[in-house]
Amino acid sequence: MKARWKIIEWHHKTIESLLQSLVDIHDDIRIQAIITCATAALERPRIAISQGDSDKETVKAPSIQDLPEVLQAPLKAALCDKNANVRMAAAVCQYAIQSHNLLAREIMQTALLKGNSVDSWAAAQCLALEGAATYPVITRILHQLFNKKNEDTEQQSCMLLSHLSAKTTLIHTMLAVELNSHQWKDRTVACRALSQIGGNVSVDMKHKLIQLMLSDWNKKVRQAAAQALGQMSLGKEVHDTIRVKLGQGNFQERVEALSLIRGLKLMTAKLLPSFLNCFSDDFTAVRQAACLAAGALQIHDNMVLECLLNLIQRDPCWKIKAFAIRALGQIGHVSPQLTDLLLWAIHYEESPGVRLEACRSILALKLQGDRVRDTFLDVLLLENHDAVLKEIHHAMKTLNLENEGNQEMLQKIKNRIQTLSQKELLIQKIFKIETVIGKVKEEAKRVYMQPKQGQKPLKFHTFLQETFQACEAPHTKSLVTESSPGPKHKKQRSFITCQRSAHCPGKKNCDGTIWI
């Protein structure tokens, strides 16, 4: 055994060095030696494996002892050390090797009541693992749980409380008190602890959790209470409560029910009819909550998808359109109708928020093709919102829709549009158009001109071109006529869009006729 122990070294210690350190005159060296022994006892392999005659043959040897016999006597003697820290370390080591030493238990109980925060927490853990479901132990664990709010401490505390919950109802009673705390963080931690501990729950506690789930002012508390009810096999109560609030409650209760559906990711056949009605609710907050829930649950039901598409086309509030577009992007169900609506929205919607969400959903759905690229290129000419422009460039780069050959021409066109859109220049052009049109009307009234044989009607864009030919720079025409084709949509969003359409010969929406 001694030889086997030498093979398994912790911190490069041997039995001889540990024996010397356990009787060293310095307290910290004795403590370090005790800690090394405790670590070795916890991390040792439970079964030794020795090689047989063949390399493929292994033989299981008897289990290795926690600690060699020669070390156990000095470790027990350390329980009576003159230094309190050495005695505490020795008691922890006795619990690590599960010796059930009475003197070590007394040291732990003393440290629990009178020790510092570190020693009392260590003592509470050791005593809890031993099964001591006493009031001081439970109180100390709960104190650590509610005062050291971090994930590791919460996990360790709940594990200890779950180990003790079968022996006493005191844990549930003390956690029920915290459910009434004026601190919302304490109420949240209590709900999470109850969901992990389990055990029998009283009727009063069930009603309290339902009350928190429905009416607590803090959203995190409501969600934690709902999750606790679900983990404690009380999901039917949660489901029935949500169904009643969703179908019969006021608009605030419907919003809260939808938030619970989103947080718990809960949807059943009984909830679906009332859920669908929320998409056409009179209150904006309800429609918004329905969109958020549909996106979070990623519901592929055709009726839900139809409701979201209907909101994009007909809802009067731009925020609801944006949330509906985001939900469809999260769901990930691509259809020709959705593609049409997203491309229309990014091109023609008035609100930048809707155009932004449309771009993000196009990226999320990974839409490809010449039509998507052409729409993005058209939008780059017209868009003046920085966030939307940034999102479009990001989407084109991610989807590999960038066309480097057209970037220079696009920039020239944008610069020319900005130049032509200056206030003073526009005023001059409008006055000139009014003057020329007025002259044409007067000539038509007073001067008769015999139409020439084979004369074709004058197009409106040709009329404008001839009108401004004298004052336009020679390169103006080439910059516009050599650009990429304009959008195929008919609806226009701004004066700049109208200006771009005026330079699109051959398009139906640009076709105008003036007889002179």
Side-chain angles (χ1 to χ4, degrees), residues 166-229:
K167 299 182 179 181
T168 178
T169 59
L170 182 61
I171 297 174
H172 287 84
T173 302
M174 297 178 72
L175 286 174
V177 175
E178 297 297 334
L179 293 177
N180 296 313
S181 173
H182 64 282
Q183 294 288 340
W184 70 266
K185 291 184 178 180
D186 290 343
R187 299 196 300 274
T188 304
V189 172
C191 291
R192 289 203 302 261
L194 286 169
S195 66
Q196 298 180 55
I197 292 172
N200 296 326
V201 181
S202 64
V203 176
D204 291 339
M205 182 176 291
K206 182 181 73 173
H207 290 164
K208 180 62 180 179
L209 288 172
I210 293 176
Q211 179 187 355
L212 291 176
M213 179 186 72
L214 296 176
S215 58
D216 195 276
W217 66 269
N218 187 273
K219 179 180 179 180
K220 292 184 177 180
V221 177
R222 297 194 299 270
Q223 292 182 350
Q227 291 173 352
L229 288 168

Side-chain angles (χ1 to χ4, degrees), residues 499-510:
Q499 185 187 47
R500 183 186 63 189
S501 300
H503 296 280
C504 299
K507 299 293 182 180
K508 293 183 178 179
N509 58 340
C510 303

Side-chain angles (χ1 to χ4, degrees), residues 1-34:
M1 180 63 69
K2 183 176 181 180
R4 187 182 298 159
W5 183 259
K6 286 185 178 179
I7 297 175
I8 307 170
E9 294 181 357
W10 276 265
H11 304 292
H12 305 286
K13 296 291 184 179
T14 60
I15 293 177
E16 290 76 9
S17 64
L18 288 173
L19 287 173
Q20 293 176 3
S21 299
L22 287 172
V23 295
D24 195 277
I25 61 175
H26 297 93
D27 297 336
D28 57 338
I29 294 179
R30 298 200 301 277
I31 292 174
Q32 185 61 45
I34 295 171

Side-chain angles (χ1 to χ4, degrees), residues 50 52 54 88 111 129 213 248 339 364 423 462 482:
S50 60
S54 174
M88 184 65 189
L129 289 174
M213 179 186 72
Q248 304 175 13
T339 303
K423 181 179 179 180
T462 306
E482 295 177 5

Side-chain angles (χ1 to χ4, degrees), residues 267 272 275-277 279-280 290-291 293-314 320-321 323-339 341-342 361 365:
M267 180 54 62
L272 186 59
F275 178 70
L276 293 174
N277 291 334
F279 289 101
S280 57
C291 293
L297 272 65
Q298 297 183 350
I299 302 175
H300 287 259
D301 185 87
N302 290 332
M303 292 184 290
V304 175
L305 296 175
E306 188 65 30
C307 289
L308 291 172
L309 292 172
N310 185 63
L311 288 178
I312 297 176
Q313 299 176 80
R314 297 180 176 86
I320 302 303
K321 292 183 179 181
F323 280 113
I325 291 173
R326 180 190 300 179
L328 288 167
Q330 292 173 333
I331 292 172
H333 181 77
V334 181
S335 65
Q337 184 182 7
L338 175 59
T339 303
L341 288 175
L342 291 179
S361 292
L365 296 172

Side-chain angles (χ1 to χ4, degrees), residues 84-221:
N85 293 329
V86 176
R87 295 196 300 270
M88 184 65 189
V92 172
C93 184
Q94 293 298 314
Y95 274 89
I97 63 177
Q98 299 180 1
S99 66
H100 304 288
N101 189 287
L102 294 178
L103 183 56
R105 186 180 301 162
E106 292 178 3
I107 293 173
M108 288 297 184
Q109 290 174 348
T110 302
L112 177 65
L113 299 176
K114 300 180 180 179
N116 55 41
S117 60
V118 176
D119 289 347
S120 64
W121 173 229
Q125 295 179 78
C126 291
L127 293 171
L129 289 174
E130 193 180 34
T134 61
Y135 178 79
V137 172
I138 296 173
T139 302
R140 183 63 184 87
I141 296 174
L142 292 176
H143 175 80
Q144 192 75 11
L145 173 64
F146 287 98
N147 289 276
K148 299 290 183 180
K149 295 183 176 65
N150 60 71
E151 185 176 350
D152 293 335
T153 301
E154 182 174 328
Q155 183 179 1
Q156 178 71 6
S157 300
C158 290
M159 184 271 293
L160 296 172
L161 294 173
S162 179
H163 178 67
L164 298 175
S165 61
K167 299 182 179 181
T168 178
T169 59
L170 182 61
I171 297 174
H172 287 84
T173 302
M174 297 178 72
L175 286 174
V177 175
E178 297 297 334
L179 293 177
N180 296 313
S181 173
H182 64 282
Q183 294 288 340
W184 70 266
K185 291 184 178 180
D186 290 343
R187 299 196 300 274
T188 304
V189 172
C191 291
R192 289 203 302 261
L194 286 169
S195 66
Q196 298 180 55
I197 292 172
N200 296 326
V201 181
S202 64
V203 176
D204 291 339
M205 182 176 291
K206 182 181 73 173
H207 290 164
K208 180 62 180 179
L209 288 172
I210 293 176
Q211 179 187 355
L212 291 176
M213 179 186 72
L214 296 176
S215 58
D216 195 276
W217 66 269
N218 187 273
K219 179 180 179 180
K220 292 184 177 180
V221 177

